[in-house]
Amino acid sequence: MATIIDLHSHSEASDDSRAPVGAYLNWIKLRRAERPLDGIVLTEHRQYNRAADYRALEDQFDVMVLRASEVETDYGHMLVFGVNDDILRRFDFSNVRLPAQEVIDGVAELGGVVVPCHPGRPTVGLCEHYETKPPLENVTAVELLNGGSRKGENERAAALVDRYGYRAIGGSDSHMVSLIGLCATRFDADVRTIDELVRELKSGRYEPVDFRPNRPRPRRAAPEMAGT
Amino acid sequence: MSANTGRHFDSVAVGESLGPHEIVIEKPRARAFAAACGMDSGRFHDDEAARAEGLPGMIIPGNFSLGLLSKLVTDWLGAGPGRLTRIGTTYRAIVLPERRLTLHGFVTHIEREARSVEIDVWIENEEAERLVIGTASVAFPPTD
């Protein structure tokens, strides 16, 4: 059974978001026809929200809530999935200049997986860093579709994926309730826990999915039929 | 934007839309706003001065965008008892005059006990890029 998860979102636990988790889940419930999400991952900035317990909200809205982090490195921002005590002991997530290669390798060694996010974004994305520094090794995947991207950013990410053969995920990067789930990732497998998510991210059996109402349409070989 | 006779707390629902409202800000209006605010920088008044700063032309002040989104909310409230208590915005891209802009909003959260409402608001350009995004809070009195 496939699972669709928004892998990148920020709740009010992040310093630049005012979105309560319950409001996100309620919005998903209301918009399920347009954005058929099974779950979201909260990727709070520079922290891991260890104490948060969303089980009651998950039950209320029938939406899975997993937790991860968005950290800042010398190659831009990166999502860390499978955060555990060992990872938190080794890396100070509040450090805004974490060494990217050490984070990628260290997190993998300790059971997690790191995914560079919004790689096409100026300053905080991988593409710009690759212009002046050697490419990183052992990159599992990058965020190809980011719901907060400006014009051209996802296209730069696509060129990066093509050039380096990276796998691709999608996430909304939502900081506002109504933007949750605009981009997400469809996994071939059933994913219900963070361990299963990490396992599947390493497997490569997934693809980014785009639920934006004005998303770029793939070029068509034939003219559209009237009424379509 | 048409005025309404007044929104009441019990009639507000999560998912309710504010707008969309299309608007074009002409250059004289943007200049007048900047002048009234004491914003003398050439980028708000003159295309050439803006280009000298690397901008494509004169731009609309951020506070003008904030004002447009505030008005989106207060027009939605109309003459009713609710009041806008907070609005916060993030400026993600420059907003240019003489372009078609669209103001959007959604009611995203209601606190029944506190009788408050949270609203997402944003300004899009013609390519559906969100140039300014934000959230607003609205409070209603204990009974309305």
Side-chain angles (χ1 to χ4, degrees):
Chain A
M1 180 188 142
T3 312
I4 299 176
I5 305 174
D6 181 344
L7 293 181
H8 187 174
S9 66
H10 299 273
S11 78
E12 57 197 343
S14 287
D15 52 10
D16 56 352
S17 170
R18 283 180 55 87
V21 176
Y24 271 147
L25 303 192
N26 190 33
W27 197 260
I28 291 167
K29 183 182 168 190
L30 287 171
R31 300 291 169 126
R32 222 162 209 158
E34 304 160 22
R35 308 174 199 174
L37 296 186
D38 296 296
I40 63 171
V41 184
L42 297 168
T43 51
E44 312 297 3
H45 289 294
R46 302 176 300 280
Q47 60 176 301
Y48 180 68
N49 200 358
R50 189 198 302 247
D53 182 351
Y54 300 111
R55 281 174 294 186
L57 288 171
E58 289 178 304
D59 290 344
Q60 183 181 349
F61 295 105
D62 192 25
V63 179
M64 169 176 57
V65 181
L66 302 175
R67 286 169 291 155
S69 299
E70 180 176 352
V71 300
E72 299 179 19
T73 78
D74 55 359
Y75 275 74
H77 293 189
M78 301 192 176
L79 305 176
V80 182
F81 299 97
V83 178
N84 55 39
D85 288 344
D86 291 335
I87 291 171
L88 292 171
R89 266 193 293 273
R90 184 174 305 183
F91 298 105
D92 174 8
F93 279 12
S94 68
N95 176 2
V96 296
R97 292 283 296 169
L98 282 167
Q101 192 63 64
E102 285 181 35
V103 172
I104 289 170
D105 293 337
V107 167
E109 182 188 320
L110 296 170
V113 63
V114 172
V115 177
C117 51
H118 41 68
R121 192 162 299 170
T123 311
V124 297
L126 203 56
C127 295
E128 194 167 295
H129 291 277
Y130 274 16
E131 291 173 8
T132 55
K133 291 181 272 194
L136 295 166
E137 296 177 356
N138 306 319
V139 174
T140 301
V142 298
E143 187 182 55
L144 172 63
L145 286 182
N146 177 292
S149 282
R150 292 198 53 213
K151 188 179 175 185
E153 292 179 5
N154 286 343
E155 289 75 8
R156 280 196 289 279
L160 180 80
V161 165
D162 284 347
R163 178 169 180 188
Y164 291 96
Y166 295 147
R167 294 168 184 150
I169 69 161
S172 68
D173 197 3
S174 177
H175 291 69
M176 285 166 50
V177 171
S178 60
L179 304 183
I180 192 75
L182 284 178
C183 296
T185 304
R186 180 190 289 115
F187 294 87
D188 291 349
D190 197 12
V191 174
R192 293 293 149 202
T193 66
I194 196 70
D195 289 340
E196 290 173 355
L197 177 64
V198 169
R199 180 195 70 205
E200 290 306 310
L201 283 170
K202 290 176 178 173
S203 79
R205 296 185 296 259
Y206 50 85
E207 62 178 356
V209 286
D210 195 347
F211 299 121
R212 290 173 294 175
N214 297 303
R215 59 188 174 275
R217 304 287 173 182
R219 210 173 294 154
R220 287 171 183 267
E224 290 185 40
M225 293 176 64
T228 58
Chain B
M1 297 179 205
S2 58
N4 67 44
T5 55
R7 197 159 304 271
H8 293 263
F9 182 72
D10 290 338
S11 69
V12 178
V14 172
E16 186 173 345
S17 171
L18 285 70
H21 291 303
E22 288 189 0
I23 187 170
V24 176
I25 305 298
E26 308 292 349
K27 288 179 181 176
R29 194 172 164 205
R31 288 190 191 104
F33 180 93
C37 294
M39 303 169 89
D40 298 328
S41 170
R43 60 169 61 183
F44 302 124
H45 296 271
D46 178 65
D47 284 329
E48 286 309 311
R51 287 190 193 107
E53 290 188 53
L55 297 164
M58 66 172 276
I59 63 173
I60 293 174
N63 280 351
F64 199 153
S65 297
L66 180 71
L68 291 172
L69 291 172
S70 300
K71 188 171 186 306
L72 177 73
V73 176
T74 54
D75 282 353
W76 174 77
L77 284 170
R83 61 190 173 88
L84 174 63
T85 55
R86 181 201 63 82
I87 186 164
T89 48
T90 300
Y91 302 96
R92 301 175 64 187
I94 54 174
V95 181
L96 297 169
E98 318 286 355
R99 308 288 173 92
R100 195 176 73 229
L101 306 170
T102 310
L103 313 180
H104 292 268
F106 279 120
V107 174
T108 60
H109 190 57
I110 298 173
E111 289 286 346
R112 293 279 163 204
E113 286 189 12
R115 297 177 69 81
S116 66
V117 172
E118 287 290 306
I119 301 169
D120 284 357
V121 289
W122 69 94
I123 299 176
E124 277 184 9
N125 65 11
E126 290 164 307
E127 295 172 304
E129 267 194 294
R130 293 186 198 91
L131 308 175
V132 182
I133 63 172
T135 58
S137 304
V138 167
F140 288 84
T143 55
D144 62 4

